[in-house]
Each structure stands twice: as structure tokens, then as C-alpha cells.
Amino acid sequence: MEKRVFNFSAGPSMLPVEVLEQAQRELVCYPSCGMSVMEMSHRSKMFESILAKAKADLKELMHIPDNYKIMFLQGGGSTQFAMVPLNLMNKNNKADYVITGQWAKKAAEEAKKYGQVNIVATSADTTFNRIPELDSSKMDPEADYFYITLNNTVYGTHWTNLPDTGNVPLVGDMSSSILSEEIDITKFGLLYAGAQKNLGPAGVTVVIIREDLLGNAMDFTPTMLRYDIHAENDSLYNTPPTYGIYFMGLVFDWVKRQGGVAALQKINEHKASLLYDFLDASSLFRGTVVPKDRSLMNAPFVLPTDELNAKFIKEAEALGFVNLKGHRTIGGMRASMYNAMPVEGVEQLVAFMKKFEMENK
Amino acid sequence: MEKRVFNFSAGPSMLPVEVLEQAQRELVCYPSCGMSVMEMSHRSKMFESILAKAKADLKELMHIPDNYKIMFLQGGGSTQFAMVPLNLMNKNNKADYVITGQWAKKAAEEAKKYGQVNIVATSADTTFNRIPELDSSKMDPEADYFYITLNNTVYGTHWTNLPDTGNVPLVGDMSSSILSEEIDITKFGLLYAGAQKNLGPAGVTVVIIREDLLGNAMDFTPTMLRYDIHAENDSLYNTPPTYGIYFMGLVFDWVKRQGGVAALQKINEHKASLLYDFLDASSLFRGTVVPKDRSLMNAPFVLPTDELNAKFIKEAEALGFVNLKGHRTIGGMRASMYNAMPVEGVEQLVAFMKKFEMENK
Ligand SMILES: Cc1ncc(COP(=O)(O)O)c(C=O)c1O
Ligand SMILES: Cc1ncc(COP(=O)(O)O)c(C=O)c1O
Ligand SMILES: [Mg+2]
Ligand SMILES: [Mg+2]
Ligand SMILES: [Mg+2]
Ligand SMILES: [Mg+2]
């Protein structure tokens, strides 16, 4: 078989090779069905059991309490930017947002179409290299919800201490950190994540919502953008992205085999420290995020010049470390190390960085 | 390998086995990439070329003129029910709909949220067993568009002669007939189709729109539901359903190898006539649709009693003819014979129906 690369893409991104191999074996015929999962009616017993198992496994892995609904939707994170205000900005028609980068910014811009958006804090002044300090006097106790991006994929920041929002439901975009670390669901009213980083192929979005927040969507909300509709129909209001749901289910099984989320978190902390410790010790490479807010998943770093950045990316690629180029809006490098990135991937990258430093300083 | 069944599901439905086998070979490593298509960044050269080729092939297969944009979106047909009015009901805030079954009905209900809906005609009085006659005095020359479901998946009806709507743009839901027959795109302002019947896995929707209809979405339209945004960004405004797009591309290649849409139409006509001719000759089985409006893709039929229907479905399933149960709203049987259903599938089904008739009359 062709040699697989170490793919540091921010998303879509590396998936566990064992899961890809299982999906490959089952692609033409899912066991004892005589058809591919792609060919199954979403109303068939076979598919319904795939869906039910995926839900039950996610519930177990994330310790999701019974008063939360789990949905598998289409539209990606960007559709959530609209669904959140359309469904939740329904009491006082206003919400609090913390801007930690372009994803929170896009979410806030979209929400402005539907109500009043209060920017509690932003780290724009330091090019989003930190989670901003929160001044509780700026938090609106009448806000319908309080919105954060748990892990900023572009700038590589991460909320370690969740804000205390009192009775205001906390809404979290965890697209780039779901299943990478333990999280206390009960702190949230709503959590969502696009699948294309830690879960599977692009095209499925996981939404976890506290039941009391369902209902009361704005009148003009498209039916397909109403959480209550999808919750009532158990993600089968219309044809769901069946293959993506199946694949996520295989990933959930894989996570369980790794020992669950706590075990993956340990491995992720180890991978991240391999890279961050090197960056801190290096006189040539530099991490761009303040240490306390560093992401376990996305590590942006720079060399002293654009020429060196370009040289590094090129040489890395030739060695099979691909997609290390930073986001088009910030440049430099970014190594995304999602759950599926093996420890050896990071070890070998750091070894190459050491060599590059020796040759270029 | 496990024996594959003949899957008569209305969608998701049978896919060409050669395409499934190719996807299987390439699942872990797309040639010369060292990664799965699922793992490719949507901004990578590799994926962009997959996307560009899929678009170019569809343009060629459907003879789509240069003044139309092709988009690959998320959300399924049901999201189009909202996108159509949100984006097109923008001049006189009203539209004409013809109701040929529950899909057109759902589309019309959704449109009522956003403007005035004029029901030009409906075939509800005969349980949607025909395409209704159009009384041109009921057509509104000031409508922003005129909406039809080209092929009704549930009731098995099909528009053979398109309505003449003058300057009013014709909008067509071709979810269950895309690539099954030649169609004159220039008669339409907008056409859309969910992938899960003739194109690939659920989770991608093809939208073909005449450029002059872009822009002018209603103010409160969610960004992700704006055609202009997706057209300007060439389906890359956000992360598209990359794997579904890749798979559709393989299906487009397959259609080309079959000789294109005209060749498939001939085969589809042959398959349909095998079944309809038998239904017409049979004294036990009966097709439910008036002959002139019969669909090539979905053929509903009944036996004299519910007991016989149930017996037939059960015996058929045991022989590997699966998903023949009619839609939950109408009962009886329905055989969906999309492009990927081989002629032998229909031949063998008809042979079994003949045997069933002999044994049960
Ligand atoms: C944190 C975060 N939120 C939202 C999005 C947008 O997701 P999508 O492209 O699925 O709309 C992304 C995409 O990378 C992301 O990283
Ligand atoms: C003609 C037609 N339109 C629309 C739909 C709805 O599509 P989706 O389930 O992708 O929302 C279907 C589903 O079968 C259909 O057959
Ligand atoms: Mg952000
Ligand atoms: Mg340093
Ligand atoms: Mg209809
Ligand atoms: Mg008959």
C-alpha cells in the first residue's frame, strides 16, 4: 500500500487509519446487508441501528446527561452561526459574544442579523494570540445566551477556564476540540462541532442541546434550521448525511478502544508538549500564542523570516509532513494535531524541526 | 465477497457497484496523495481539482450553458424548500406552485413563510396519481417563479411536458430524476437535486441556477442559505461535503462511460417498460399512476389486498429484492429503478412477480 503522510491539516484532517481501513472493508457491502451503508434507506432498521449506536456511544464518551438532545445535522459550523441566534435569541433578543478570532467573529456577525450582539471581550488587539480577560460588568445578565469558540482553530487558542455565566446559557463552538479533552457538558446550554476535524468526513455537525432550550425559534426560521424539528425527529426529519454518521460511529468505537476521552486527552497533552517544549527551547522557532491559552489541537508557530517559513514548509512537505502552512489570514506555520495524529507524527516533526534549526541558524 | 442485493429503495438508493469498488480501492489512500479524500483540506490543490472536475463533468453531461452556476451544497432537498423562496421571492414576493405530492406540498408550505403562494393546480383529488392539468388563467404572470417537482418520488409521477411559464422562471426539484433523462436546462431558472438517489451518498445537493437570478436574497436569509454566497465562492464558502462531492464525481465518470444521459435514458425506458408492461398485462398486479405520467424512476403498484402486499414484500425480500415497500404514506409497493439498478434487477423482479401471480391468483 501507498505510504501515508503525516497530515497536519486544520480540517478536514487526519482520520485514524484503522477506521479508514474498516470503512474500506465495509464500503461495498456492510456486513450481512448486501449493500453499502451509502445505499441504505435512512428509514431502514440497519441504518437506524447505526444512528442509535452512534448517539449512544457519543453520549457515553462525553458523559452527556439525559436532559440533553444529541443531533447529527448538515450545514457545517457556519450554519450553526445562524441556527444559534434563530433558535436561542428568543427571550430578550440579545446575546453576549467573546471574540477570539474569525470563527467567533463570523458567528457574531451572523447573530447581528437577528438581534442585539454584545461583544463582551475580544483579543483582536494582540492578533488573537490569547483568550481575552473577561470583565464581568460587561456581561449582560439578560442575554439569551453567552457564546464562545472553545478552541480557535486558526489562532491556536483554547479556553481552559470556562466563563461563569450564571443563568445565561453558555453556547460553545467545539468544532476543533470535540473528543480531544474531557469537558463538563452541564456547564453548557448548547455545544456544537463540525465533524471534519476529530470525528469524520465533512458534512455532519454534532449538536448537543439542553432540552429546555428547544422550541421558540423565530417565526421565519427555515424548518431545516430549527433545533426542535431535528430533536423531535431524532435527526431523521429528512435524509441525514448517513455515511458521515456511520463513519463518526466508527470513530466513536475507535475512541472507546483508545480508552475514551480522558485517555486521548493524556496523549494529546503529550503530543502538544513535545511541540511546545521544543518551540520554547528553540532560538529559531517561536510559538505565537501565550502559553496559558495554547490549544492542544492547533499550534501556530513562526520562523524569523517569510523566506525561512517557506523553506521550512517546502522541506517538511518533501519529507511527508504536509499541510503545515498557516491559515491564509495569518501566515507562518500551523501544526494541527487532532486525535488521529499519532505521537510519532509529532515526534518526527519535532526531530525535523531540530535538524532544520541546526541547518538554518 | 458477500452477494449484493437488488435494492429498490427510493433513496438513499443503489449506487453503481463499479463506483463503490473504485471508492473502496481509494478509500485509505487517494492515488499519489498518501491520504484519504476525507482527510484532504478543502483548500488543497488535490481537492480543488476533484471539485473542478466534478463540476465540469456535470456541466458536460447535462449540457449546462455558461450562464448557469453549479453549486454543491449541504442540507438536502428540504433546505432548498426554504432557499428557493428566500432567494427568489424577491420582486413581487409571490410564487406559483403545482402540487404533485408531499414534496411539492412541503416546498409550498415552507414558501408561505416568506411570501404569497399561489397553488396553480394539484392532483390531491386523485391521490396524486397524475400530473394535474394546468389552467393558464390560474398562472400568475407576476409570480417571482413557478415551482414544480419534476419527478415525484413517492407517487411515481413525472412531468413529461414542461409548463410554459413565459417570463416567470421555472424552478424544478429533480431530486429523483437528475441524470436519468435528457432535459433542456434553458427552460429552467433553477434546478436542484439531493444526491442520494442518482448521484451518491446523502449530504450533497446539486443546485444549478441561472446567473441573473443570483443576489437579492431577503435580508434575514442565513448566509449559508444564500445562493449568491455559494456561487461567488464556488461551493467553498465553508467546508463543503468533500467526500460526497468526490463520490458524485466518480458517478459522473461512470455516467460518461455508459454513454452519457441519453444512453442511460434509453436503458431507463427499457427497465421501466419491462415493469409497466407486466403491470398492465397482469390481472393481479396494478400500477397506480395514469400511464402518460408514469415515472421512469419510481413505480408504485399494488396487489388486491394488504395481505397479498405484505406476502409479496416478504417473499421478495427473501429472494434479495429489498426495499419494495411503498412509502409509509401510501402503502402497497414501490420499485425505484435509478440509474444504478441493472436491467437484470428489473428482469428478475418481473420474473418473480409473474411467478407470484401464478401462485396467488
Ligand atoms: C472553530 C470553527 N468553527 C466553525 C468552523 C466553520 O465550519 P464549516 O466550515 O463546517 O462551516 C470552523 C472551520 O474550520 C472552525 O474551525
Ligand atoms: C423529490 C424529492 N424532493 C425532496 C426530497 C427531500 O430531500 P431531503 O431528504 O434530502 O431533504 C426528496 C426526498 O426523498 C424527494 O424525493
Ligand atoms: Mg473564534
Ligand atoms: Mg522559541
Ligand atoms: Mg411533489
Ligand atoms: Mg394490471
Side-chain angles (χ1 to χ4, degrees):
Chain A
M1 200 185 68
E2 199 182 315
K3 191 170 177 280
R4 283 180 44 92
V5 294
F6 289 118
N7 179 5
F8 292 91
S9 170
S13 39
M14 208 160 174
L15 293 165
V17 66
E18 303 95 295
V19 171
L20 289 167
E21 285 166 352
Q22 183 179 352
Q24 182 172 47
R25 284 192 302 275
E26 300 179 348
L27 195 124
V28 178
C29 283
Y30 186 76
S32 332
C33 286
M35 66 176 79
S36 172
V37 174
M38 293 183 202
E39 301 172 283
M40 289 179 188
S41 164
H42 56 301
R43 312 259 173 224
S44 64
K45 287 219 174 57
M46 301 170 287
F47 181 73
E48 285 190 352
S49 81
I50 288 173
L51 175 64
K53 182 171 186 315
K55 252 182 58 175
D57 283 346
L58 186 64
K59 187 169 153 74
E60 181 187 331
L61 282 169
M62 292 183 74
H63 316 295
I64 301 172
D66 288 340
N67 63 325
Y68 286 75
K69 290 276 186 191
I70 302 170
M71 292 174 265
F72 301 135
L73 308 181
Q74 295 187 56
S78 300
T79 298
Q80 295 308 308
F81 299 165
M83 283 179 80
V84 166
L86 283 167
N87 287 273
L88 300 189
M89 231 188 215
N90 53 18
K91 287 200 192 84
N92 300 315
N93 204 228
K94 53 188 185 169
D96 281 357
Y97 278 74
V98 179
I99 309 299
T100 52
Q102 70 163 26
W103 300 117
K105 206 158 126 189
K106 278 192 156 184
E109 287 304 323
E110 190 76 3
K112 281 182 195 164
K113 285 186 190 164
Y114 307 111
Q116 198 182 313
V117 167
N118 172 42
I119 306 297
V120 176
T122 168
S123 47
D125 58 337
T126 57
T127 322
F128 302 113
N129 75 339
R130 69 186 207 287
I131 299 295
E133 313 63 46
L134 296 190
D135 172 353
S136 63
S137 75
K138 296 233 171 113
M139 291 164 66
D140 183 350
E142 310 250 275
D144 287 333
Y145 59 87
F146 188 104
Y147 184 102
I148 61 172
T149 307
L150 276 155
N151 182 84
N152 185 290
T153 323
V154 172
Y155 296 98
T157 58
H158 167 262
W159 285 82
T160 305
N161 300 310
L162 294 176
D164 179 2
T165 59
N167 288 324
V168 176
L170 184 60
V171 170
D173 173 358
M174 61 184 321
S175 294
S176 47
S177 59
I178 189 167
L179 296 188
S180 70
E181 58 177 354
E182 294 244 83
I183 187 153
D184 181 357
I185 303 285
T186 65
K187 295 222 163 117
F188 292 86
L190 187 152
L191 277 166
Y192 72 81
Q196 66 266 24
K197 289 116 171 33
N198 266 330
L199 306 181
V204 199
T205 311
V206 172
V207 177
I208 303 162
I209 187 170
R210 220 175 55 212
E211 275 170 355
D212 61 286
L213 297 173
L214 289 167
N216 304 313
M218 294 180 192
D219 280 351
F220 53 82
T221 306
T223 307
M224 282 291 291
L225 266 53
R226 281 178 48 179
Y227 292 127
D228 54 352
I229 292 283
H230 293 293
E232 277 159 26
N233 289 281
D234 200 13
S235 305
L236 290 171
Y237 171 71
N238 76 324
T239 319
T242 49
Y243 193 73
I245 292 171
Y246 152 77
F247 195 98
M248 278 200 315
L250 300 185
V251 170
F252 298 156
D253 272 337
W254 176 84
V255 174
K256 286 166 89 175
R257 291 199 301 275
Q258 309 310 300
V261 176
L264 282 179
Q265 179 172 348
K266 280 226 166 64
I267 301 172
N268 288 329
E269 285 166 350
H270 174 57
K271 287 186 291 185
S273 69
L274 286 173
L275 182 56
Y276 288 127
D277 289 350
F278 169 74
L279 289 172
D280 290 341
S282 165
S283 56
L284 198 68
F285 288 94
R286 183 173 63 77
T288 56
V289 173
V290 301
K292 75 173 179 48
D293 296 330
R294 281 170 170 171
S295 163
L296 294 179
M297 297 286 99
N298 314 96
F301 57 91
V302 290
L303 283 158
T305 66
D306 283 348
E307 290 66 39
L308 276 177
N309 288 336
K311 186 175 184 221
F312 175 79
I313 290 162
K314 197 172 160 201
E315 290 184 14
E317 190 164 321
L319 293 170
F321 307 110
V322 308
N323 288 318
L324 279 165
K325 203 163 184 225
H327 189 271
R328 56 207 156 104
T329 57
I330 57 161
M333 277 74 66
R334 172 178 49 171
S336 295
M337 306 166 285
Y338 294 113
N339 286 345
M341 173 60 66
V343 174
E344 313 84 76
V346 182
E347 283 170 349
Q348 292 182 29
L349 174 66
V350 169
F352 167 64
M353 289 167 80
K354 282 189 185 145
K355 185 162 163 285
F356 187 90
E357 175 161 11
M358 303 242 279
E359 291 168 1
N360 291 279
K361 77 176 165 192
Chain B
M1 200 184 68
E2 198 181 316
K3 190 170 178 278
R4 283 179 44 90
V5 293
F6 290 118
N7 179 6
F8 291 91
S9 170
S13 39
M14 208 160 173
L15 293 165
V17 66
E18 305 94 296
V19 172
L20 289 167
E21 285 166 351
Q22 182 178 352
Q24 181 172 49
R25 284 193 301 276
E26 299 179 350
L27 194 125
V28 179
C29 283
Y30 187 76
S32 331
C33 286
M35 66 176 78
S36 173
V37 174
M38 294 184 202
E39 300 172 284
M40 289 180 188
S41 166
H42 57 300
R43 311 262 173 222
S44 64
K45 287 219 173 59
M46 302 171 285
F47 181 72
E48 284 189 354
S49 82
I50 288 173
L51 175 65
K53 181 169 186 317
K55 252 181 59 175
D57 283 346
L58 186 64
K59 188 169 151 78
E60 180 187 331
L61 282 168
M62 292 183 74
H63 316 295
I64 300 171
D66 287 339
N67 62 326
Y68 285 75
K69 290 275 186 193
I70 302 170
M71 293 173 266
F72 302 135
L73 308 182
Q74 296 187 57
S78 301
T79 299
Q80 294 308 307
F81 299 165
M83 283 179 79
V84 167
L86 283 167
N87 286 274
L88 301 188
M89 233 188 215
N90 52 19
K91 287 201 191 85
N92 300 316
N93 203 226
K94 52 188 185 169
D96 281 356
Y97 279 73
V98 179
I99 310 299
T100 52
Q102 69 164 27
W103 301 117
K105 206 159 125 188
K106 277 192 157 184
E109 287 304 322
E110 191 77 2
K112 282 182 193 164
K113 285 187 191 164
Y114 308 112
Q116 198 181 313
V117 167
N118 173 39
I119 305 297
V120 176
T122 168
S123 46
D125 57 337
T126 57
T127 321
F128 303 113
N129 75 340
R130 69 187 206 284
I131 300 293
E133 314 61 49
L134 296 190
D135 171 352
S136 63
S137 75
K138 296 234 171 113
M139 291 165 66
D140 183 350
E142 309 251 275
D144 288 333
Y145 58 87
F146 188 105
Y147 184 102
I148 61 171
T149 307
L150 276 155
N151 183 84
N152 185 290
T153 324
V154 172
Y155 297 97
T157 59
H158 168 261
W159 285 82
T160 305
N161 299 310
L162 294 175
D164 179 1
T165 60
N167 287 324
V168 176
L170 184 60
V171 171
D173 173 358
M174 62 184 320
S175 295
S176 47
S177 59
I178 188 166
L179 297 187
S180 70
E181 59 178 351
E182 294 244 82
I183 188 152
D184 181 357
I185 303 285
T186 65
K187 297 223 162 117
F188 291 87
L190 187 151
L191 277 166
Y192 72 82
Q196 66 265 24
K197 288 119 173 28
N198 265 330
L199 307 180
V204 199
T205 310
V206 172
V207 176
I208 303 163
I209 186 169
R210 220 175 56 211
E211 275 170 357
D212 61 286
L213 296 174
L214 290 168
N216 304 314
M218 295 182 193
D219 281 350
F220 53 82
T221 307
T223 307
M224 281 291 290
L225 266 53
R226 281 176 50 178
Y227 292 128
D228 55 353
I229 291 282
H230 293 292
E232 277 159 25
N233 289 281
D234 200 14
S235 304
L236 291 170
Y237 170 70
N238 77 322
T239 320
T242 50
Y243 192 73
I245 292 171
Y246 152 78
F247 196 97
M248 277 199 315
L250 299 186
V251 170
F252 298 156
D253 272 336
W254 176 84
V255 174
K256 287 166 88 175
R257 290 198 303 274
Q258 309 310 301
V261 176
L264 282 179
Q265 179 172 349
K266 280 227 167 63
I267 301 172
N268 289 329
E269 285 165 351
H270 175 58
K271 287 186 290 185
S273 70
L274 286 174
L275 182 56
Y276 289 126
D277 289 351
F278 169 73
L279 289 172
D280 290 342
S282 165
S283 56
L284 197 67
F285 287 93
R286 183 174 62 79
T288 57
V289 173
V290 302
K292 74 173 179 50
D293 296 329
R294 281 171 170 169
S295 164
L296 294 179
M297 298 285 101
N298 313 96
F301 57 92
V302 290
L303 283 158
T305 65
D306 283 348
E307 289 66 41
L308 276 176
N309 288 336
K311 187 176 183 218
F312 175 79
I313 290 163
K314 198 173 156 199
E315 291 186 14
E317 190 165 322
L319 293 169
F321 306 110
V322 307
N323 288 319
L324 279 166
K325 204 164 182 223
H327 190 270
R328 55 208 155 103
T329 58
I330 58 161
M333 278 72 69
R334 173 179 48 174
S336 295
M337 308 166 284
Y338 294 113
N339 285 344
M341 173 60 65
V343 175
E344 312 86 75
V346 182
E347 283 170 349
Q348 292 182 29
L349 174 67
V350 170
F352 166 64
M353 289 167 80
K354 280 188 184 146
K355 183 162 164 285
F356 187 90
E357 174 161 11
M358 303 243 276
E359 292 167 359
N360 292 277
K361 79 176 165 192

